[in-house]
Structures are given as structure tokens and as C-alpha cells.
Amino acid sequence: MIHAILFDFNGVIIDDEPLQLQAYQEALKPEGIALTERDYYESLGMDEVTFVINAFERAGKELSDAALTRVLKRKTELHRRMLESELPFFPGVVDFIKACARRYTLGVVSMSRRREIEEILARAELDRFFPVIVSADEVQLCKPNPECFNRAFILLNAARHAAGESQLSPAECLAVEDSPPGIRAARAAGMRTLGVANTVPAQVLREAGAEVVTPSLADWTTDAIHHLYETP
């Protein structure tokens, strides 16, 4: 049985991967670094600091602490500005989250900064549905390392214990991911996996080990989860 669902954030809940790419491109340009679309999508699963370190390494440039701070500040401001007028949620995902919250314990497991996740969820009035959030601020290692999912698992059980609910096993948790590193991280943590082909082709997610792959969450329901993951 599935009792908890852990959602990735960028690329699963909010459709901002192209905006993230643009923000990084503009943030890195003053440092003399050109970021390609391929560079960005080959770096899925990285936190911001690791991403910038890798970008400088690819360009053969030395990264000082001051430059890292400049780039991260610039990128954060650009991304926030891009989302000022509208939050680009994927079709159907908000309704799916609300339906899942009535049946499962929910969490977010993302390599974005916690402040970014919380601000967007609060603006959309979705924050109350996620008692567990694990961001890049809480872990040392990026996906595909399972540290983020292991951390979320501990927090899930703590939240369930506080609510008087039974403790979970990893196999009772479903991870919803849009990238191969995310799928691999969840599998390494012993969790079930649902790949959403919002960012990379479905076959790439299958090759990463996703049990089920869907082109979109628009038509997904809790009955679909029950049928695909809970029925013997």
C-alpha cells in the first residue's frame, strides 16, 4: 500500500525548468560563461551551488566565493522576477495534490532552496498540504544520492507519529519525479517511483528505473495510484 507521496518541485509541480535555464544563463553571462540548453538538462538533480561549480569547471574558470555569491544572488532575483505575475503550474497538478492530500501524507523533495519552495507553495495556498519539505538546504548530497529521500522518510514518519498514525516503510512511499537522477535517488531509498515526462522523454525515465511513466499528471487520480501501485 502507498501511504505517502513525495513530489519533486521544479518540473513536476511548477513548470519552470525553461525559466530556471534562462535565469542561470543570464546570471552566468556577466561571468563570461555561456550555458547551453544541453548543459542545463544534463545537470538535472543538482542543487544551485553544485550547478554553478560545474558551470565554472566546464568553462575552465576559477570560481571564487565572491563570484559564487554574485551568481546565486543574480539567479535568485531573476527567477523570482520571472514568477512575479503568474505561477506556471503544470495542468491538473494542483487538483491532483489536493486529492492526494485527502488520502496520503505528502512531501516535497527538491534540490531547490527551501525559501523558493515555501514562497511558491504559500502564494498558491498549497503549503498546508505538505507537512514535509526537504530542500537543498537540508542535505549535503544531490540526487541521484538518496540522502534527500532518506531525510524525507524520517520526517514523514515523525509527522505521522505526531498525528497518531502508523510508521511507514520506504516501499509505502511513492516518489513523483521528472528526471533520471530523481528516479535513481528514490529507488536507492527503497521507494516506489512515478516518472512524469515533463522534462525528458519517457524512455529516459524508464531507463532510469521508473516503474510507471506518464506524459502528464493532468488526468491522474488517487484511484490510478491505487490501481497501479496498491492492487496485488
Side-chain angles (χ1 to χ4, degrees):
M1 295 287 289
I2 298 298
H3 292 289
I5 302 178
L6 299 172
F7 291 83
D8 185 28
F9 192 64
N10 310 95
V12 169
I13 293 178
I14 187 165
D15 184 10
D16 72 337
E17 294 288 13
L19 301 181
Q20 294 274 355
L21 167 60
Q22 183 182 345
Y24 273 120
Q25 287 175 327
E26 294 184 22
L28 288 166
K29 188 175 181 180
E31 308 297 329
I33 296 177
L35 179 71
T36 68
E37 185 173 322
R38 179 177 179 178
D39 291 335
Y40 177 80
Y41 286 103
E42 287 183 349
S43 302
L44 293 173
M46 291 183 183
D47 62 79
E48 291 182 340
V49 173
T50 305
F51 186 96
V52 174
I53 290 172
N54 280 17
F56 272 73
E57 287 179 350
R58 276 195 308 269
K61 291 180 175 287
E62 184 176 347
L63 177 62
S64 66
D65 290 343
L68 176 62
T69 299
R70 280 198 309 271
V71 172
L72 293 178
K73 181 179 179 182
R74 200 179 294 138
K75 183 265 177 182
T76 298
E77 291 173 350
L78 287 164
H79 183 253
R80 183 177 289 123
R81 200 177 307 150
M82 292 172 182
L83 298 178
E84 277 180 350
S85 59
E86 182 181 1
L87 294 174
F89 290 113
F90 282 102
V93 73
V94 171
D95 288 338
F96 182 56
I97 287 169
K98 290 178 180 178
C100 288
R102 291 192 287 270
R103 186 166 179 172
Y104 305 102
T105 305
L106 303 188
V108 169
V109 179
S110 170
M111 290 297 97
S112 290
R113 302 299 297 270
R114 189 179 188 93
R115 179 178 176 183
E116 174 186 312
I117 297 167
E118 290 181 336
E119 284 180 354
I120 291 172
L121 291 178
R123 278 180 60 187
E125 298 183 348
L126 294 175
D127 48 334
R128 67 185 185 277
F129 298 119
F130 293 99
V132 170
I133 295 177
V134 174
S135 71
D137 299 318
E138 284 82 47
V139 296
Q140 299 296 315
L141 301 171
C142 306
K143 300 173 184 177
N145 188 283
E147 181 188 6
C148 53
F149 283 104
N150 291 335
R151 174 66 177 160
F153 178 69
I154 292 170
L155 295 176
L156 276 174
N157 273 331
R160 289 176 65 86
H161 177 74
E165 298 174 335
S166 62
Q167 300 292 281
L168 302 179
S169 69
E172 293 174 306
C173 303
L174 174 65
V176 184
E177 281 281 352
D178 70 312
S179 73
I183 294 292
R184 294 190 185 104
R187 285 179 59 85
M191 297 180 179
R192 311 293 299 276
T193 52
L194 169 60
V196 187
N198 289 331
T199 307
V200 300
Q203 184 58 31
V204 176
L205 295 171
R206 291 190 185 96
E207 290 171 355
E211 293 176 70
V212 178
V213 177
T214 181
S216 168
L217 292 175
D219 299 322
W220 271 69
T221 64
T222 56
D223 287 340
I225 294 172
H226 174 72
H227 175 71
L228 290 169
Y229 293 95
E230 299 176 354
T231 304

